[in-house]
């Protein structure tokens, strides 16, 4: 009984050793071509995105501030100027333009802070 258990445990070891030897012989005779992996490829970039990303983010934040103010400030100026000319209907809109400017500034600070945190902090993490 002991002989059978000993022979049964050594037989699989022999077959495994024979299989690995056969696969090694087959592998040496086959033509293999190695494809690049992330470890072997040249992953360097030009680094231009480190300049462009912050520039685009800052330009978009500036546009987010400037475009509405370019529209609202002349409207506010005309409403203030209408007070001196006794144009009552246009002078009543001063509060609307002031309110719109305050709302726009608040939205600008909220949106730009979020955009800057998302894009500029991540770009700083990938320094060389």
């Amino acid at each position: 009984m002991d002989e059978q258990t000993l022979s049964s445990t050594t037989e699989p070891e022999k077959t495994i050793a024979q299989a690995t030897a056969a696969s090694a012989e087959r592998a040496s005779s086959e033509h293999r071509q190695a494809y690049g992996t992330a470890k072997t490829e040249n992953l360097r970039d030009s680094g231009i995105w480190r300049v462009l990303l912050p520039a685009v983010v800052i330009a978009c934040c500036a546009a987010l501030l400037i475009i509405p103010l370019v529209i609202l400030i002349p409207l506010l100026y005309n409403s203030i100027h209408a007070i001196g000319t006794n144009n009552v209907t246009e002078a009543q809109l001063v509060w609307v333009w002031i309110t719109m400017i305050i709302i726009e500034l608040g939205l600008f600070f909220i949106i730009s802070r979020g955009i800057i945190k998302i894009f500029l902090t991540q770009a700083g993490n990938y320094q060389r």
Side-chain angles (χ1 to χ4, degrees):
M1 197 70 139
D2 291 330
E3 293 176 17
Q4 288 179 351
T5 56
L6 288 175
S7 64
S8 65
T9 57
T10 57
E11 286 178 10
E13 291 174 3
K14 288 180 183 177
T15 57
I16 292 172
Q18 290 172 353
T20 54
S23 65
E25 289 175 13
R26 205 175 327 126
S28 65
S29 65
E30 290 179 1
H31 172 70
R32 291 187 163 200
Q33 183 175 0
Y35 295 102
T37 63
K39 293 179 181 177
T40 60
E41 289 179 4
N42 185 3
L43 296 177
R44 292 185 183 178
D45 62 350
S46 64
I48 191 90
W49 66 274
R50 289 185 180 95
V51 175
L52 286 180
L53 182 65
V56 169
V57 168
I58 291 170
C60 288
C61 288
L64 188 66
L65 176 67
I66 292 170
I67 292 172
L69 288 181
V70 165
I71 296 169
L72 291 172
I73 288 176
L75 293 171
L76 177 63
Y77 175 75
N78 288 339
S79 293
I80 292 171
H81 186 65
I83 293 172
T85 61
N86 294 330
N87 188 352
V88 179
T89 56
E90 193 173 344
Q92 292 175 352
L93 295 176
V94 172
W95 71 272
V96 172
W97 308 131
I98 293 173
T99 306
M100 293 287 286
I101 290 171
I102 292 170
I103 290 171
E104 192 274 328
L105 290 175
L107 287 174
F108 163 74
F109 286 120
I110 292 170
I111 293 170
S112 64
R113 187 181 70 187
I115 290 173
I116 288 172
K117 279 186 178 182
I118 290 170
F119 290 107
L120 296 186
T121 57
Q122 287 298 320
N125 289 339
Y126 297 109
Q127 295 177 359
R128 293 182 193 188

